[in-house]
Amino acid sequence: LYLNRPAAVQEDEIDQYLAKQDGKIYRNKDPQLCHHGALGKCVHCVPLEPFDEDYLNHLDPPVKHMSFHAYLRKLTGGADKGKFAALENISCKIKAGCEGHPPWPEGICTKCQPSAITLNRQKYRHVDNIMFENHTIADRFLDFWRKTGNQRMGYLYGRYTEHKDIPLGIRAEVAAIYEPPQNATQNSLELIDDPKAAAVDEIAAKLGLCKVGWIFTDLLSEDMRIGTVCYSRNKDSHYLSAEECITAGYFQNLHSNPCRLSRDGYFGSKFVTVVATGGPDNQVHFEGYQVSNQCMALVRDECLLPCKDAPELGFAKESSPEQYVPDVFYKDTDKFGNDVTFLARPLPVEYLIIDITTTFPKDPQYTFSSAQRFPIENRDILGETQNFHSLSTYLSQCTSTAFLGIVSDFHLLLFLVTNEVMPLRDSIGLLLDAVRTSNEDLAQTWKKFEEWATIEQLCSNSLGYEAMGGPSVPSSSSAMWSCLHCTFMNQPGTEHCEMCSLPRS
C-alpha cells in the first residue's frame, strides 16, 4: 500500500541536491577509546546520523533545531525506508462535502470537524542560517532609518545554498534588498500595493535569484551623539510580536516549500524574517526568525489574532456562526513544576517562533557591484529619486571603465525595466544574462544596441532640461529637511523639529 502522493513535485534545487547527499557525521578514530584496527569501527567512531541530538547539542554554539533534511532522514529511516512516511499539513477548517447533517453552524460531526491543536516547539527548521553577502546591503537599507527616524521594510532577494556547519543544513544568502512602496512612522509600517512586484520577481529570476525573505527595522535611537540604539527586544519583552508572527505566517504561506513527502505537494516554507533592532550592546543587530508550520496553518485559516495591549501574546479565535475554530492548546509548567495544558487564549508567541542565526561572511561576497550606488526605489521622501537625471548623475560618477561594473546594480536594473519613459522589459534579457554570469563581453554587446543609445540620449536631455531652469530636485516645501540644532531629518511641510521641537530656521 503506497500513499497517494503527487506524481511530480518539482522541489527546489537545494532540496534535490541535499536529498542525494549522504548526510552522515563522520568521526575520526579516538586514540583513547578505540581499541581496534584502522579499518574497524566501534561505538566511539561509527558515523552518526544527521539528526543525532547529542551531537547537535554539543556543537558550539549548540543547535536547538535539526535541519529539515535531517528530520526527513529521521522520518524515512528504519526498515521500511519511509515507504509509509508522510508529512501532514494541518487544517483548521471543516472538511467540505459532509452530507449527513446541515452545514455549520447548524451541524458538525467527527468526520468533518478539524482536530484540536496542541502547540509544541518545532524540532526542525527549514532554513538554518541567513547570510548577507556583505555589510553594504544592510547599511544602505538602514540609511533610510538613519536619515528619517522612520521604520523601513524590504524584501530579501538571494539564493538557497548548503549550510555546511549543520548536517544537511540550508542557508539563505541575501544578495539585494528591494524596498516596496510603504507608509512608515517611528512606530508603524504600512505596505501599499506594488504595481512593480511581478517585474521585480521576473528580473530576480533572470538574475538567478528569488525572494528568500523579508526584513524590517524596529529601531529607536538611544544616544544620537555616539550612535547607540535602544535594546527593546529581549526575554523580558518579546522577540517577535504576535502581529509580526501573523505577517511572517502570511508570507510563508505565500512562499510554501515544494515537498515530495507531502500529499499536498508542499510542506512548510523557506521564507525567512529578519528584524534589524537594538542588541544588548546597544548596537544594531540583525535577528533571523521563521514561524512554525503550526503557526502557518493558524494564520492561513484565519484562527490567530494579536492582543491589543500585549505584543508578546497572540489569541486563538473562538468559534462563531461564520467560522468554526478548533480548540488550540499549549503546554507549560505551573509554579509547582507540573506539566499543565492551557487554552491558547491568550498564547505566548514563543511557541510559534524558530530563531535562525544571521551572519555576515569574513570575506564579503558581491553578486552586484559594490563601487557604484544607484538610488534605491521608493525613497522619494528623502529626495532620492529614480529618474533619468539621477541616472545621468550616476553614470557621470562611475569611475569604472568596465560597462558590466556600471550596470551591476540591482536597483539600476529595476529602473531600466520599470521606468515609464523607456521600459526595457522585453529587451534587457541579454544584459541580465551578462550580470548573472559576470560576462563583460556580453554586456558590451548589449551596450551597442539602440536601447542603450536611447537611454544615454534621455540622460543628456534631462541634464539639458535642468540647465534651462527645469526642476531637478524637490522644492523645499516637498523635501525632507535637516534640523540645524540636532540634525534630525524631518518630514516635508513641518516648521518645527519633531525631535527637539526647535524652529526650522
Side-chain angles (χ1 to χ4, degrees):
L1 173 67
Y2 285 88
L3 292 167
N4 180 24
R5 289 179 181 148
V9 174
Q10 185 62 34
E11 292 187 327
D12 292 342
E13 279 184 30
I14 184 64
D15 294 316
Q16 295 177 41
Y17 170 78
L18 290 174
K20 296 171 186 171
Q21 301 307 303
D22 176 22
K24 283 194 166 58
I25 303 152
Y26 289 92
R27 301 182 289 174
N28 294 325
K29 182 180 172 183
D30 190 314
Q32 291 181 324
L33 298 173
C34 300
H35 306 293
H36 52 73
L39 298 177
K41 291 287 179 186
C42 68
V43 291
H44 303 294
C45 62
V46 70
L48 300 174
E49 294 291 350
F51 47 81
D52 189 282
E53 289 188 22
D54 193 50
Y55 171 81
L56 295 175
N57 288 333
H58 282 86
L59 285 175
D60 184 28
V63 176
K64 291 186 292 183
H65 308 275
M66 70 179 81
S67 68
F68 180 59
H69 279 268
Y71 175 72
L72 292 183
R73 294 291 166 93
K74 188 174 184 178
L75 199 67
T76 57
D80 66 356
K81 296 299 180 190
K83 187 194 295 185
F84 304 109
L87 298 170
E88 292 287 343
N89 287 300
I90 301 164
S91 175
C92 307
K93 289 184 175 178
I94 293 174
K95 289 178 185 170
C98 198
E99 298 175 354
H101 54 79
W104 176 264
E106 279 75 34
I108 195 169
C109 72
T110 52
K111 290 181 184 176
C112 63
Q113 181 181 6
S115 302
I117 298 169
T118 300
L119 297 173
N120 50 52
R121 291 179 174 87
Q122 195 165 290
K123 291 187 176 177
Y124 58 87
R125 54 187 176 186
H126 290 272
V127 172
D128 304 281
N129 177 257
I130 303 164
M131 187 184 81
F132 289 85
E133 285 191 342
N134 54 73
H135 282 281
T136 306
I137 301 169
D139 283 339
R140 292 196 71 192
F141 175 71
L142 292 177
D143 271 347
F144 185 90
W145 172 78
R146 293 188 184 115
K147 291 175 180 175
T148 66
N150 292 341
Q151 307 307 334
R152 193 68 171 164
M153 178 268 185
Y155 290 117
L156 306 173
Y157 282 87
R159 56 186 75 82
Y160 295 109
T161 59
E162 184 182 7
H163 180 49
K164 295 182 179 176
D165 294 351
I166 293 171
L168 300 176
I170 292 178
R171 165 182 278 159
E173 288 186 11
V174 179
I177 301 176
Y178 167 70
E179 300 177 17
Q182 55 198 279
N183 291 326
T185 66
Q186 286 181 319
N187 52 22
S188 71
L189 267 173
E190 179 195 7
L191 286 182
I192 306 169
D193 284 341
D194 184 7
K196 296 181 180 178
V200 179
D201 285 345
E202 187 182 314
I203 296 162
K206 289 179 180 175
L207 289 167
L209 307 174
C210 64
K211 198 186 283 185
V212 298
W214 68 302
I215 182 172
F216 65 93
T217 60
D218 179 22
L219 293 164
L220 185 63
S221 184
E222 184 189 51
D223 190 333
M224 295 184 77
R225 290 168 300 175
I226 57 174
T228 54
V229 291
C230 293
Y231 177 40
S232 57
R233 290 179 184 246
N234 50 57
K235 60 183 175 59
D236 299 320
S237 56
H238 65 281
Y239 294 105
L240 278 188
S241 71
E243 198 165 7
E244 290 156 3
C245 285
I246 291 167
T247 308
Y250 168 77
F251 283 137
Q252 286 179 210
N253 280 310
L254 283 181
H255 302 87
S256 56
N257 182 49
C259 182
R260 60 192 162 77
L261 279 181
S262 168
R263 287 190 182 91
D264 307 309
Y266 64 88
F267 188 77
S269 172
K270 289 200 275 288
F271 198 83
V272 298
T273 297
V274 179
V275 191
T277 186
D281 57 355
N282 298 108
Q283 300 298 315
V284 177
H285 283 233
F286 294 88
E287 309 291 347
Y289 300 98
Q290 279 195 306
V291 293
S292 67
N293 295 7
Q294 288 180 324
C295 179
M296 285 174 63
L298 292 173
V299 172
R300 184 192 63 233
D301 295 334
E302 299 179 354
C303 299
L304 191 62
L305 297 170
C307 287
K308 186 176 181 182
D309 302 321
E312 74 279 7
L313 297 176
F315 194 89
K317 279 168 75 171
E318 298 184 49
S319 294
S320 66
E322 293 78 34
Q323 180 188 5
Y324 176 84
V325 179
D327 286 332
V328 182
F329 302 99
Y330 68 95
K331 288 184 178 179
D332 205 349
T333 52
D334 63 13
K335 61 182 179 181
F336 304 109
N338 301 315
D339 282 342
V340 184
T341 301
F342 296 96
L343 193 60
R345 300 184 187 126
L347 155 73
V349 296
E350 65 194 63
Y351 282 84
L352 310 175
I353 299 172
I354 298 151
D355 58 315
I356 304 172
T357 52
T358 305
T359 55
F360 292 86
K362 289 179 183 175
D363 301 315
Q365 302 170 18
Y366 295 93
T367 297
F368 301 103
S369 172
S370 61
Q372 284 80 32
R373 298 186 179 186
F374 188 70
I376 293 173
E377 60 285 332
N378 300 310
R379 286 193 173 186
D380 295 356
I381 192 171
L382 283 176
E384 297 176 14
T385 53
Q386 288 190 343
N387 54 30
F388 284 98
H389 171 69
S390 59
L391 177 58
S392 178
T393 306
Y394 170 81
L395 293 174
S396 66
Q397 291 171 346
C398 286
T399 53
S400 171
T401 51
F403 183 64
L404 181 64
I406 294 170
V407 293
S408 283
D409 184 294
F410 189 68
H411 309 285
L412 168 63
L413 294 169
L414 288 183
F415 171 71
L416 292 178
V417 170
T418 60
N419 75 85
E420 294 174 0
V421 180
M422 177 74 183
L424 301 179
R425 194 164 185 171
D426 299 325
S427 53
I428 203 171
L430 192 68
L431 181 62
L432 296 177
D433 284 343
V435 174
R436 181 173 53 82
T437 57
S438 300
N439 189 324
E440 175 67 36
D441 292 339
L442 214 56
Q444 290 290 347
T445 302
W446 186 86
K447 186 183 180 183
K448 293 168 185 164
F449 291 175
E450 61 181 277
E451 284 85 0
W452 183 248
T454 309
I455 293 286
E456 288 184 317
Q457 185 63 42
L458 288 165
C459 288
S460 61
N461 288 349
S462 73
L463 285 178
Y465 178 54
E466 184 191 343
M468 291 166 63
S472 61
V473 293
S475 62
S476 60
S477 62
S478 63
M480 296 193 65
W481 56 277
S482 174
C483 176
L484 299 172
H485 311 281
C486 72
T487 72
F488 183 76
M489 293 296 291
N490 288 275
Q491 301 290 350
T494 53
E495 294 303 321
H496 287 79
C497 177
E498 194 179 338
M499 182 61 73
C500 67
S501 302
L502 292 172
R504 180 172 180 171
S505 56

